[in-house]
Amino acid sequence: ILNVEQSPQSLHVQEGDSTNFTCSFPSSNFYALHWYRWETAKSPEALFVMTLNGDEKKKGRISATLNTKEGYSYLYIKGSQPEDSATYLCALQTGANNLFFGTGTRLTVIP
Amino acid sequence: GAGVSQSPSNKVTEKGKDVELRCDPISGHTALYWYRQRLGQGLEFLIYFQGNSAPDKSGLPSDRFSAERTGESVSTLTIQRTQQEDSAVYLCASSVGVTGELFFGEGSRLTVL
């Protein structure tokens, strides 16, 4: 079992604020890094899958960066909206194998 | 259906009984994963199937847990002699390939009394 750490554990921001979270992972045997968004009472949904050092991906107001050499990824949300409230999970994929999830960052956006 | 389907959505059982959870992945997805989330904890890996390869069972917590998958279709997760600590949401996910994003089902909530 690999140690994938996410910080902060929870976060409250005002509507309109921008925010970011961190995912740290062991850099050895890296294959891919996934980000998922998990809203209450729903299933987790994929945001990004990144495989290359230096990768940057963007989907609307959400973007992510990846540093495989130092073992971290950042997720950014620009201009947070109440509908962004969810738990954001990152997952490390090693080899062509299973994914190890972090415990997530729970974001609450206050209107 | 278009998505990953899991059944039952809710299961309440008595300690010591066996339960079977079912997952119908998206057609054509070769990889299938089982995870569970116990109250207040993160997603815990249980087992991974990839095509016809031997499954990665390294996450199964005890020999009371087993899972099978027929080819690239339905998977069943069986828990024998359930214990209260088995209470959790059991999530199934499938993906199209080795770096494909995971598509999750809505989960099976298991409560062991």
Side-chain angles (χ1 to χ4, degrees):
Chain A
I1 303 296
L2 296 177
N3 196 22
V4 179
E5 297 185 349
Q6 291 190 247
S7 63
Q9 197 170 37
S10 66
L11 187 60
H12 289 72
V13 300
Q14 289 292 135
E15 182 176 353
D17 286 352
S18 295
T19 188
N20 64 84
F21 332 128
T22 304
C23 174
S24 302
F25 52 87
S27 52
S28 59
N29 206 22
F30 175 88
Y31 196 83
L33 193 285
H34 297 228
W35 279 100
Y36 292 83
R37 174 188 143 97
W38 194 359
E39 290 182 72
T40 303
K42 294 186 179 180
S43 324
E45 291 184 344
L47 289 172
F48 307 111
V49 179
M50 296 185 286
T51 56
L52 298 176
N53 184 45
D55 251 356
E56 290 189 25
K57 294 209 172 179
K58 187 174 180 181
K59 186 183 287 189
R61 295 179 290 100
I62 304 177
S63 60
T65 61
L66 177 66
N67 184 320
T68 60
K69 294 184 178 179
E70 297 182 35
Y72 65 83
S73 175
Y74 294 136
L75 187 79
Y76 301 91
I77 302 178
K78 184 177 178 182
S80 303
Q81 299 297 308
E83 58 265 30
D84 296 330
S85 296
T87 296
Y88 291 83
L89 298 168
C90 73
L92 173 68
Q93 189 171 10
T94 60
N97 213 322
N98 66 61
L99 274 71
F100 297 96
F101 280 84
T103 52
T105 293
R106 183 186 295 273
L107 173 67
T108 303
V109 181
I110 303 164
Chain B
V4 176
S5 176
Q6 289 188 248
S7 62
S9 54
N10 274 289
K11 176 74 176 178
V12 180
T13 190
E14 293 179 348
K15 178 181 171 180
K17 301 280 189 183
D18 296 352
V19 297
E20 192 172 276
L21 308 177
R22 176 188 169 107
C23 173
D24 236 309
I26 294 172
S27 178
H29 282 195
T30 58
L32 186 147
Y33 305 76
W34 282 98
Y35 290 88
R36 75 175 177 182
Q37 187 188 37
R38 291 189 282 187
L39 192 63
Q41 299 186 21
L43 281 177
E44 178 186 3
F45 166 74
L46 297 177
I47 189 168
Y48 162 70
F49 297 90
Q50 173 60 54
N52 293 317
S53 302
D56 178 349
K57 302 180 180 181
S58 60
L60 294 178
S62 78
D63 59 8
R64 295 186 296 104
F65 286 72
S66 62
E68 293 188 353
R69 187 184 186 193
T70 308
E72 295 184 356
S73 61
V74 171
S75 175
T76 55
L77 176 70
T78 301
I79 309 172
Q80 295 178 309
R81 306 181 302 282
T82 52
Q83 303 294 311
Q84 288 182 333
E85 63 262 28
D86 299 335
S87 297
V89 176
Y90 289 82
L91 283 166
C92 173
S94 68
S95 72
V96 69
V98 293
T99 54
E101 63 190 60
L102 268 60
F103 291 81
F104 282 86
E106 296 195 345
S108 292
R109 181 178 295 277
L110 174 65
T111 303
V112 182
L113 301 177

